[in-house]
Amino acid sequence: MPVISTSGLARTFTTKAGPVHAVRSVDLSVMPGEIVGLLGPNGAGKTTTLRMLTTLLAPTGGTATVAGHDLLTDPAAVRAVCGYVAQSGGADPYLTVREELVTQGRLYRLGRAEAAARAGELAAALGLEDLLDRKAASLSGGQRRRLDIAMGLTHRPAVLFLDEPTTGLDPGSRADLWDLVRSLRDGAGTTVVLTTHYLDEADALADRLILIDGGTVVAEGTPAQLRTRYAGSPDASLQDAFLAATGRPANPADAAPVAV
Ligand SMILES: Nc1ncnc2c1ncn2[C@@H]1O[C@H](COP(=O)(O)OP(=O)(O)O)[C@@H](O)[C@H]1O
Ligand SMILES: [Mg+2]
């Protein structure tokens, strides 16, 4: 049984300039314990898809279930099983790491002692123990991202959604984050859906990749399957496969310079 299943999931925004079809129709299925990478150019609809799956945004079309709960009829149950780490992060720069983790626990209705204990567990699991009394504003990018993820794990979600968790991190911090994602899956069996622009990351970390472009799924498969299908060989570069599938590079920084 898939832990996430969507059918024709869609979201159109109404703007002064007219309708924006951010997500036209997304059909996807994720099995428990999978690490799935959502790839796609800027504006493809990745964030909008994650925001719908975590109930932060109402779909304007289609249906979805998360851990058996219907997004439309039982959003509270969906919220209880999902953790979400937004692209921009959620930590308040003026709180300490400890205050942030305890506050998050209290938001999930833990008692004071329980919230303090959970903060300690999360700090230990995410390597934040030495930083508990530091203000979030003083953390490095990688430390800050670990705090964001700790906050998203407060209620032990079965499904964790990470929106560009490693954008802007140095290679060492990115590798640490990959280890963390793997350990969540291997330890607690957490299902992880993450978006990324980095193809090496998608390749190294994800069991399966879903390419989104123009608000729909244009390709999916294991990294090896995508290489073979779109670039002709399991040894081809994922970049070439991505280009063939979408006509665009995955990472805007990799775009060919425009001749002027
Ligand atoms: N609140 C909004 N109002 C209007 N348009 C939006 C809104 N949020 C996103 N969009 C548009 O929807 C499209 C998809 O955005 P997004 O899901 O953020 O893409 P991605 O995360 O793949 O870069 C983009 O064209 C974006 O400008
Ligand atoms: Mg986005």
Side-chain angles (χ1 to χ4, degrees):
M1 270 276 285
V3 66
I4 302 171
S5 176
T6 78
S7 172
L9 194 64
R11 172 72 201 209
T12 298
F13 291 104
T14 307
T15 72
K16 286 202 185 93
V20 176
H21 302 288
V23 176
R24 289 172 191 273
S25 179
V26 162
D27 297 313
L28 55 84
S29 175
V30 176
M31 297 306 283
E34 258 193 316
I35 298 175
V36 169
L38 283 190
L39 290 170
N42 279 328
K46 303 179 298 293
T47 295
T48 304
T49 300
L50 294 197
R51 292 183 67 211
M52 287 194 281
L53 288 173
T54 52
T55 78
L56 294 171
L57 188 66
T60 49
T63 58
T65 59
V66 180
H69 306 294
D70 190 295
L71 206 62
L72 301 177
T73 60
D74 203 355
V78 171
R79 226 168 293 140
V81 296
C82 286
Y84 176 58
V85 177
Q87 203 167 334
S88 52
D92 179 333
Y94 300 105
L95 295 182
T96 66
V97 169
R98 186 193 314 278
E99 287 164 343
E100 194 72 86
L101 292 174
V102 169
T103 303
Q104 195 70 9
R106 299 288 280 161
L107 283 175
Y108 280 104
R109 298 168 190 273
L110 300 181
R112 261 176 227 291
E114 253 184 311
R118 184 68 182 140
E121 282 172 14
L122 288 165
L126 287 131
L128 295 166
E129 283 161 308
D130 295 339
L131 304 171
L132 277 166
D133 296 313
R134 291 260 300 271
K135 293 226 189 311
S138 77
L139 303 180
S140 73
Q143 292 167 339
R144 178 87 185 239
R145 227 47 190 130
R146 294 211 302 276
L147 172 58
D148 291 334
I149 294 173
M151 291 166 65
L153 291 172
T154 301
H155 58 304
R156 298 185 177 83
V159 185
L160 183 62
F161 294 94
L162 302 173
D163 201 356
E164 296 192 26
T166 64
T167 296
L169 297 190
D170 62 71
S173 304
R174 285 174 62 208
D176 288 348
L177 220 131
W178 301 354
D179 287 342
L180 171 68
V181 168
R182 292 189 189 106
S183 71
L184 284 171
R185 189 266 299 278
D186 296 341
T190 309
T191 305
V192 181
V193 177
L194 61 100
T195 71
T196 180
H197 283 298
Y198 302 119
L199 291 176
D200 62 328
E201 171 164 298
D203 204 7
L205 189 55
D207 301 314
R208 197 154 57 85
L209 302 176
I210 298 178
L211 268 56
I212 297 191
D213 196 13
T216 57
V217 174
V218 295
E220 67 175 290
T222 64
Q225 285 169 343
L226 292 178
R227 286 188 170 87
T228 307
R229 199 175 311 148
Y230 292 97
S233 151
D235 301 320
S237 83
L238 204 51
Q239 181 71 269
D240 288 344
F242 187 98
L243 262 170
T246 66
R248 278 181 277 180
N251 190 334
D254 295 334
V258 179
V260 286

